[in-house]
Amino acid sequence: MRLSDRALQLTARISLLIALASLSAFLLVRTYLGDPETLYNQGTVSETVSRGPVTMEKVRWQLGTMQLYTQLIDEDRRKVVLENNVPGSVVVAVHLAVTPLDGVDQLSDGGFVCDAALRDDRGNVWKNQNVDTMLGPSSCSDDDHPLKLNQPNKLVKLFVVPASAVPHLVGVEVGSLAEYRRVLITF
């Protein structure tokens, strides 16, 4: 066998090895990169909508106004204590219209989960706090303010954020684990 034939065979084998290794790596990584559950669990936003409405799990969300407070009071005019409300932070109240549609789960039996998160342009996310204030109900399962089916119901989602984050706030995100879907409703 000549030297050029051996070099050609060696080149072909190395090329085949590289191609097989590349294909294996692609098939392994593709499963994780394109998996909707993994993307949802990582906090990836799948859609962005300006103000709404957004329908998710038979509930329509419409963004209203955003207001900033340093302190809140309840219906008895007592100071409301929120988690993480430390000096240098503000309370962000986001007003929403939530409309449960026909077929929504558990409307009559204790309500349904309607959590939302506040997001900024730097990737920070804050969970809402369900606390009674004079601003209105903050939970979809509030017995004192039951939600009406097929009608917009006013809710106030409360978030405690650092004052430095306020100029960077972009919107409220709602998600559905069942649909592996997370929507950012921008201001």
Side-chain angles (χ1 to χ4, degrees):
M1 207 189 261
R2 294 187 335 208
L3 187 58
S4 63
D5 290 338
R6 291 180 74 156
L8 187 58
Q9 285 180 353
L10 183 60
T11 303
R13 288 180 183 168
I14 290 173
S15 299
L16 181 61
L17 181 64
I18 290 172
L20 288 175
S22 299
L23 179 63
S24 298
F26 170 74
L27 292 174
L28 179 68
V29 172
R30 180 183 64 139
T31 303
Y32 294 104
L33 292 179
D35 181 35
E37 182 179 6
T38 302
L39 292 173
Y40 183 84
N41 290 337
Q42 290 173 345
T44 304
V45 173
S46 57
E47 298 172 50
T48 302
V49 177
S50 178
R51 293 222 158 294
V54 171
T55 302
M56 189 171 304
E57 291 186 359
K58 299 179 184 173
V59 177
R60 184 177 301 130
W61 296 79
Q62 179 77 42
L63 190 61
T65 61
M66 176 182 80
Q67 296 172 323
L68 303 175
Y69 297 93
T70 55
Q71 192 57 245
L72 296 173
I73 58 173
D74 63 12
E75 293 175 353
D76 297 328
R77 303 244 184 248
R78 290 182 299 207
K79 183 177 172 181
V80 173
V81 178
L82 296 169
E83 292 179 32
N84 303 322
N85 195 0
V86 296
S89 64
V90 294
V91 178
V92 178
V94 178
H95 298 266
L96 297 159
V98 177
T99 307
L101 303 172
D102 289 325
V104 69
D105 293 335
Q106 299 178 356
L107 182 62
S108 60
D109 187 23
F112 56 92
V113 177
C114 64
D115 288 332
L118 186 65
R119 194 175 189 97
D120 71 6
D121 60 6
R122 298 181 281 186
N124 297 314
V125 178
W126 293 272
K127 299 284 184 193
N128 68 280
Q129 298 186 33
N130 291 329
V131 178
D132 289 331
T133 65
M134 288 193 66
L135 299 174
S138 63
S139 172
C140 291
S141 58
D142 187 349
D143 291 333
D144 295 332
H145 306 93
L147 298 182
K148 294 178 179 73
L149 191 64
N150 295 317
Q151 293 181 15
N153 299 273
K154 296 196 182 292
L155 286 182
V156 178
K157 295 296 183 179
L158 302 172
F159 308 92
V160 177
V161 302
S164 61
V166 172
H168 299 279
L169 297 175
V170 292
V172 174
E173 68 179 39
V174 293
S176 167
L177 181 60
E179 298 174 9
Y180 298 125
R181 184 174 165 221
R182 183 174 284 116
V183 179
L184 177 63
I185 308 170
T186 58
F187 297 116

